[in-house]
Amino acid sequence: MLKGIIPYTHHLLKTTIHEGDIVVDATCGNGNDTLLLASLVGDTGQVYAFDIQKQAITTTKTLLDKHGHNQVTYIQDSHAKINEYIPKEHFGEIGGAVFNLGYLPRSDKQIITTHESTIPAITYLLDYLKKGRLIVLVVYYGHDGGEDEKEAVLTFTKSLHQEEYTVLNYQFINQKNNPPFIIAIQKR
Ligand SMILES: C[S@@+](CC[C@H](N)C(=O)[O-])C[C@H]1O[C@@H](n2cnc3c(N)ncnc32)[C@H](O)[C@@H]1O
């Protein structure tokens, strides 16, 4: 069976992230991806979890504490400021990153990711990323403002040089109601 969007996202993260890695959840939301990242990197690794909403940081921290993970750094700020929080020594050493674009489920639908912050965040993360590793973007775009971000993300990722990056688009093309899709960028 073809994997759905979230299972395939998790498959990509599981097959590329290793114990001891330093990784980033750029939009931690309810913490589901942060939990996966923390279990993949283990006690010797580190997870940076970003979200602009206090509610998201609190929910994520509660979930991770419940599972006994204390290797997570929680940052309530925009992922566009990633370079202010991740030390420069980690240039070329980040083992992977995930973005879930859109709004926090069951929360304020006005608070959405936008290309003004998403594109700078991806750009910084590409410098931080280890060779062979991935930035996985899950693009939800059915909400107001989602289409602009989707177009900007596609334009930006399609323009990445193929000598430096391999870019995958994983998408179901016969589904209704703007289903999410994946863009995965692998550094060569
Ligand atoms: C689709 S949700 C994330 C879902 C999450 N991965 C989960 O497993 O529950 C998108 C999140 O991005 C956050 N967000 C919006 N703009 C942001 C920004 N500039 N920097 C960091 N987070 C942002 C929202 O607050 C929201 O929680």
Side-chain angles (χ1 to χ4, degrees):
M1 290 295 285
L2 294 174
K3 286 186 194 304
I5 295 300
I6 297 301
Y8 193 63
T9 301
H10 287 185
H11 166 77
L12 290 172
L13 298 172
K14 283 177 193 164
T15 49
T16 52
I17 292 174
H18 306 296
E19 204 166 329
D21 279 346
I22 305 161
V23 296
V24 176
D25 186 345
T27 56
C28 67
N30 290 321
N32 301 310
D33 294 337
T34 319
L35 183 60
L36 173 69
L37 294 177
S39 68
L40 293 174
V41 303
D43 292 341
T44 56
Q46 192 181 358
V47 183
Y48 289 94
F50 286 84
D51 205 291
I52 45 167
Q53 294 192 69
K54 188 170 195 296
Q55 179 196 338
I57 296 292
T58 306
T59 308
T60 299
K61 187 170 185 317
T62 304
L63 180 68
L64 274 281
D65 286 351
K66 199 173 109 191
H67 286 81
H69 289 298
N70 50 19
Q71 73 281 49
V72 183
T73 305
Y74 301 93
I75 301 154
Q76 190 197 337
D77 204 342
S78 174
H79 44 225
K81 296 191 200 160
I82 267 171
N83 64 322
E84 293 179 22
Y85 293 97
I86 304 185
K88 295 279 177 292
E89 313 77 276
H90 293 335
F91 253 55
E93 298 208 334
I94 293 291
V98 61
F99 289 68
N100 263 264
L101 304 180
Y103 60 87
L104 184 62
R106 298 179 300 282
S107 182
D108 185 348
K109 291 189 181 171
Q110 307 298 316
I111 305 176
I112 57 171
T113 54
T114 64
H115 67 88
E116 284 92 347
S117 57
T118 304
I119 304 291
I122 299 168
T123 307
Y124 282 130
L125 272 169
L126 290 174
D127 286 336
Y128 279 102
L129 200 63
K130 263 187 189 173
K131 286 197 170 138
R133 302 306 182 90
L134 302 180
I135 298 176
V136 183
L137 312 164
V138 184
V139 184
Y140 292 85
Y141 62 97
H143 54 282
D144 281 350
E147 194 70 33
D148 286 352
E149 185 180 40
K150 174 190 125 178
E151 289 306 323
V153 165
L154 283 172
T155 303
F156 175 76
T157 53
K158 280 179 186 173
S159 76
L160 291 169
H161 291 295
Q162 67 175 38
E163 296 77 19
E164 293 175 74
Y165 303 102
T166 304
V167 183
L168 167 83
N169 180 0
Y170 185 83
Q171 182 169 26
F172 295 99
I173 57 173
N174 67 334
Q175 292 179 352
K176 294 183 182 130
N177 301 324
N178 306 314
F181 63 89
I182 297 170
I183 300 279
I185 309 167
Q186 184 166 42
K187 193 168 189 172
R188 302 185 64 175

